């Protein structure tokens, strides 16, 4: 009997190990497929620089990597990173909080929506970049003006997503919940928030690059520290490797923020069943 159990368990363990190896190989293959276009672009860039385009205009990936190493090894970039990171976090958090509160309030109250929606639409139509000089006059050249500009750009994206999500809640579900004795707090937490959660998270993910744009535009306009100032100074001194190094750091900011937003979305929307699943193999 023991020999039989051992015989049965050994193929099972071997099959499990083989399946694990196949899964790891499949993941490695998918990662490689995703990396191939980027690697091809970098290889072409390295080859074309100095041959098709003058290196003074586009630098080289190797020169950009060397510039990045120099910036981090010398510590030159850290004050700029800390300043831009603080501005991004504050601007994003303030914009998201304001957008959620404003979108929920107007979505729940048709009377407030009819009064304030035309003003919100009018202000939304103003190019936010044009507000940068005004914010610098109001808040100075420190982080306040950049936080204000980033907050405004984030606010409208989150606001309209939340507003749409709250207005789209099924009225029959709301009425049924009220008939069952739910109060406004329970209605908010058990009906409106779950229904609007996908819209909120979509707005939060869409707002990430716009917060970066707001901060960098503010730093381009007037600042004493920040990645925007670093990129502006590198361009004014004809240092394309420095410009691309700053852009790579900004790209890392955006990728990291999108990754965290995606993890948050998957965690908060575990209850949501996908309407359809795409085939994994063709």
């Amino acid at each position: 009997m023991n020999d039989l159990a051992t015989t049965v368990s050994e193929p099972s363990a071997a099959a499990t190990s083989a399946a694990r190896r196949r899964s790891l190989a499949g993941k490695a293959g998918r990662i490689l497929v995703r990396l191939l276009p980027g690697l091809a672009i970098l290889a072409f860039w390295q080859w074309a620089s100095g041959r098709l385009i003058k290196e003074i205009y586009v630098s080289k990936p190797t020169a950009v990597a060397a510039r990045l190493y120099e910036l981090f090894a010398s510590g030159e970039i850290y004050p700029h990173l800390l300043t831009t990171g603080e501005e991004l976090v504050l601007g994003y958090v303030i914009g998201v909080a304001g957008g959620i509160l404003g979108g929920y309030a107007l979505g729940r109250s048709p009377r407030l929506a009819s009064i304030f929606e035309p003003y919100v639409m009018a202000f939304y139509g103003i190019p936010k970049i044009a507000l940068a000089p005004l914010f610098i006059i109001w808040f100075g050249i420190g982080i306040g003006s950049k936080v204000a500009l980033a907050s405004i750009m984030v606010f409208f994206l989150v606001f309209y997503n939340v507003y749409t999500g709250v207005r789209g809640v099924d009225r029959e579900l709301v009425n049924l919940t009220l008939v069952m004795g739910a109060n406004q707090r329970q209605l908010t937490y058990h009906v409106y928030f779950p229904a609007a959660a996908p819209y909120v998270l979509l707005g939060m993910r869409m707002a990430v690059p716009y917060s970066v744009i707001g901060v960098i535009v503010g730093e381009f306009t007037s600042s004493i520290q920040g990645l925007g100032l670093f990129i502006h100074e590198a361009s004014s001194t004809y240092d394309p490797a420095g410009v691309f190094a700053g852009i790579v750091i900004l790209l890392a900011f955006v990728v990291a923020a999108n990754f965290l937003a995606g993890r948050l979305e998957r965690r908060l929307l575990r209850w949501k069943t996908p309407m359809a699943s795409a085939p994994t193999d063709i």
Side-chain angles (χ1 to χ4, degrees):
M1 181 65 69
N2 291 336
D3 293 340
L4 179 61
T6 303
T7 304
V8 171
S9 63
E10 286 178 354
S12 177
T16 302
S17 178
R20 186 179 296 111
R21 287 195 298 270
R22 286 195 298 269
S23 177
L24 291 175
K27 290 180 180 179
R30 288 192 294 270
I31 293 173
L32 181 61
V33 169
R34 292 176 183 174
L35 290 177
L36 279 178
L39 294 175
I41 291 172
L42 289 176
F44 176 76
W45 178 10
Q46 180 72 24
W47 174 84
S49 178
R51 291 183 174 88
L52 302 180
I53 306 174
K54 291 183 178 180
E55 189 175 343
I56 189 64
Y57 296 136
V58 295
S59 187
K60 287 183 177 180
T62 52
V64 174
R67 189 79 168 95
L68 283 169
Y69 175 79
E70 176 189 343
L71 290 171
F72 283 97
S74 65
E76 176 186 352
I77 199 65
Y78 290 121
H80 298 294
L81 276 176
L82 292 174
T83 300
T84 299
E86 184 179 1
E87 292 165 352
L88 282 173
V89 171
L90 289 175
Y92 184 79
V93 170
I94 293 172
V96 167
I100 291 175
L101 293 176
Y104 181 75
L106 266 64
R108 285 293 309 271
S109 175
R111 180 175 299 178
L112 287 178
S114 63
I115 295 173
F116 290 104
E117 187 175 7
Y119 295 98
V120 175
M121 284 297 298
F123 195 70
Y124 180 65
I126 300 174
K128 309 306 176 294
I129 295 176
L131 298 174
L134 186 60
F135 287 156
I136 289 172
I137 293 174
W138 288 350
F139 303 108
I141 63 173
I143 69 170
S145 55
K146 288 74 177 176
V147 170
L149 188 59
S151 299
I152 288 294
M153 299 188 76
V154 170
F155 168 82
F156 284 103
L157 284 171
V158 177
F159 170 84
Y160 276 109
N161 275 277
V162 175
Y163 179 72
T164 302
V166 173
R167 290 290 296 270
V169 174
D170 189 355
R171 294 303 306 174
E172 293 185 1
L173 176 61
V174 174
N175 293 334
L176 178 62
T177 307
L178 291 173
V179 168
M180 294 176 65
N183 55 35
Q184 289 300 318
R185 183 180 62 83
Q186 293 170 330
L187 191 66
T188 297
Y189 283 104
H190 297 291
V191 176
Y192 281 104
F193 275 6
Y199 295 89
V200 174
L201 295 170
L202 175 62
M204 290 173 64
R205 294 191 70 171
M206 292 174 59
V208 169
Y210 284 88
S211 64
V212 175
I213 292 171
V215 167
I216 297 304
V217 166
E219 291 178 349
F220 276 171
T221 306
S222 180
S223 62
I224 55 178
Q225 266 185 351
L227 287 175
L229 177 65
F230 172 80
I231 294 173
H232 180 69
E233 290 179 344
S235 66
S236 64
T237 56
Y238 294 94
D239 178 16
V243 173
F244 279 110
I247 293 173
V248 169
I249 295 172
L250 288 176
L251 180 63
F253 267 117
V254 175
V255 170
N258 273 319
F259 173 77
L260 293 175
R263 292 289 298 271
L264 178 65
E265 182 177 2
R266 288 190 293 271
R267 179 176 293 273
L268 294 181
L269 297 183
R270 290 194 303 265
W271 54 270
K272 190 175 178 62
T273 303
M275 296 181 63
S277 57
T280 56
D281 297 318
I282 296 178

